[in-house]
Amino acid sequence: MEEFRKFMDELPIVLKIILALPFLDGIVYGIYRICKGTTAGIVLGVLWIFLGASFLWILDIVFIALGKPVFEL
């Protein structure tokens, strides 16, 4: 799981933004958050799979564009 997080962190910013678009964001960044392994990360990841695909993807794009890591607890 750590390899997936490292792979995602090393992607170019343009590809990260593409993966943060609606529907892709819920799956890709939901799994990214679940891979963190903490209880908060797992809960947020599961919620993100459903809510991230609908409207929370905007938060990920803003955080990525500002050069910060995606929103996590």
Side-chain angles (χ1 to χ4, degrees), residues 2 5 9 11-12 15 19 30 32 36-38 40-41 43 46-47 49-50 53-54 56 60 70:
E2 187 62 36
R5 287 183 61 90
D9 289 337
L11 288 176
L15 193 53
L19 291 174
Y32 178 85
K36 186 173 184 182
T38 63
V43 171
V46 171
L47 288 174
I49 289 174
F50 299 105
S54 57
L56 292 176
D60 279 341
V70 294

Side-chain angles (χ1 to χ4, degrees), residues 3-4 7 13 18 22 25 37 43 60 63 66:
E3 295 86 23
F4 178 72
F7 170 75
I13 193 166
I18 290 171
D25 181 71
V43 171
D60 279 341
F63 277 80
L66 293 174

Side-chain angles (χ1 to χ4, degrees), residues 29-46:
Y29 284 107
I31 293 170
Y32 178 85
R33 288 171 173 88
I34 291 171
C35 289
K36 186 173 184 182
T38 63
T39 303
I42 293 170
V43 171
L44 184 61
V46 171

Side-chain angles (χ1 to χ4, degrees), residues 55-68:
F55 65 92
L56 292 176
W57 58 272
I58 297 168
L59 282 176
D60 279 341
I61 290 180
V62 169
F63 277 80
I64 292 168
L66 293 174
K68 298 181 180 183

Side-chain angles (χ1 to χ4, degrees), residues 10-30:
E10 294 174 354
L11 288 176
I13 193 166
V14 174
L15 193 53
K16 286 181 183 180
I17 290 175
I18 290 171
L19 291 174
L21 292 174
F23 302 111
L24 286 176
D25 181 71
I27 297 166
V28 174
Y29 284 107

